[in-house]
Amino acid sequence: DSGVTQTPKHLITATGQRVTLRCSPRSGDLSVYWYQQSLDQGLQFLIQYYNGEERAKGNILERFSAQQFPDLHSELNLSSLELGDSALYFCASSVGGSGRESETQYFGPGTRLLVL
Amino acid sequence: AQTVTQSQPEMSVQEAETVTLSCTYDTSESNYYLFWYKQPPSRQMILVIRQEAYKQQNATENRFSVNFQKAAKSFSLKISDSQLGDTAMYFCAQAGGGADGLTFGKGTHLIIQP
């Protein structure tokens, strides 16, 4: 158990819909990262938040957005869903995010999204 | 842009054997970090080992060790005395200086046969 929690574990929805994935980082971690794992794209970094502020962006679609709240939990919002958005979405956390050291990221169990 | 390449889609070895998984990377960063993550059938991502590029000494964690060749941009993982529980997807990943997103390779599916 990494200490990172994600809800829900599974999500089934229809095309065009909007969903919200939730992540709670390990106790004491300030950084949260979101990743997408799909068969065709592999594991891709989407976005990082550090202490409530967006810090880095990866291959995140404009239909997707995220935020980190004062209690440090984070939500990933996926809208206008398409079949190709079906994937496993991981959240990871690390201690900091503003220093020179690249800290180890600890992954949550993931949310499996199926768009029908 | 950073790239990570794992050239072995699948490998299979007998229990107790030693196996080496290959990884090459490309980066323009001078300060970077390399990782191996394991993803068993449960799909959980588990950190196996980490290497700082500025350290010459190869990292080791029990049965797991790396062969880090900085000039060749190579970062292979050696698993000694392999066990059935080592069966999993193994991903090589890289991060630049400062905390940022990981760039992953496509993974190697390792099967440990009894």
Side-chain angles (χ1 to χ4, degrees):
Chain A
D1 185 358
S2 67
V4 179
T5 61
Q6 289 187 247
T7 56
K9 288 186 179 179
H10 303 277
L11 200 48
I12 302 174
T13 188
T15 54
Q17 295 298 305
R18 172 190 167 96
V19 298
T20 297
L21 313 183
R22 183 188 168 102
C23 167
S24 292
R26 296 186 316 160
S27 177
D29 284 0
L30 299 179
S31 268
V32 169
Y33 309 76
W34 286 98
Y35 292 86
Q36 179 195 60
Q37 185 177 28
S38 62
L39 281 174
D40 52 348
Q41 299 290 333
L43 267 160
Q44 287 195 102
F45 165 63
L46 297 179
I47 197 164
Q48 177 201 359
Y49 277 80
Y50 170 71
N51 203 21
E53 299 291 327
E54 182 184 305
R55 171 157 165 82
K57 253 185 177 177
N59 298 322
I60 190 166
L61 299 173
E62 286 192 9
R63 299 184 286 108
F64 296 0
S65 64
Q67 53 184 326
Q68 187 179 27
F69 295 86
D71 67 352
L72 301 177
H73 90 271
S74 177
E75 293 181 356
L76 178 67
N77 300 297
L78 315 176
S79 61
S80 302
L81 284 167
E82 302 175 359
L83 296 177
D85 297 327
S86 295
L88 185 56
Y89 290 85
F90 284 108
C91 167
S93 74
S94 68
V95 172
S98 62
R100 294 182 59 196
E101 286 286 318
S102 182
E103 288 122 358
T104 297
Q105 297 177 26
Y106 295 91
F107 282 72
T111 293
R112 191 182 297 272
L113 173 67
L114 180 59
V115 182
L116 299 175
Chain B
Q2 299 171 342
T3 59
V4 177
T5 303
Q6 294 179 250
S7 58
Q8 304 151 313
E10 186 170 287
M11 297 184 71
S12 180
V13 299
Q14 297 294 121
E15 194 175 6
E17 289 184 346
T18 294
V19 59
T20 299
L21 309 183
S22 301
C23 172
T24 58
Y25 61 92
D26 193 16
T27 181
S28 57
E29 300 272 358
S30 57
N31 183 28
Y32 55 91
Y33 303 80
L34 298 163
F35 305 85
W36 280 96
Y37 281 88
K38 168 185 176 180
Q39 187 177 42
S42 66
R43 306 303 295 274
Q44 175 78 47
M45 293 291 288
I46 302 166
L47 176 70
V48 175
I49 202 164
R50 161 195 166 115
Q51 174 81 42
E52 292 85 355
Y54 61 84
K55 289 186 178 178
Q56 293 189 349
Q57 187 173 7
N58 289 327
T60 62
E61 285 288 341
N62 301 314
R63 298 182 296 109
F64 300 87
S65 61
V66 299
N67 183 6
F68 174 47
Q69 302 289 329
K70 191 171 183 179
K73 295 186 178 177
S74 170
F75 182 61
S76 60
L77 174 69
K78 185 172 86 170
I79 306 174
S80 303
D81 186 27
S82 57
Q83 301 173 359
L84 296 179
D86 295 333
T87 292
M89 282 292 291
Y90 286 81
F91 292 95
C92 180
Q94 179 190 12
D100 55 9
L102 294 167
T103 300
F104 284 92
K106 291 193 179 301
T108 295
H109 184 206
L110 177 63
I111 302 168
I112 308 300
Q113 305 275 9

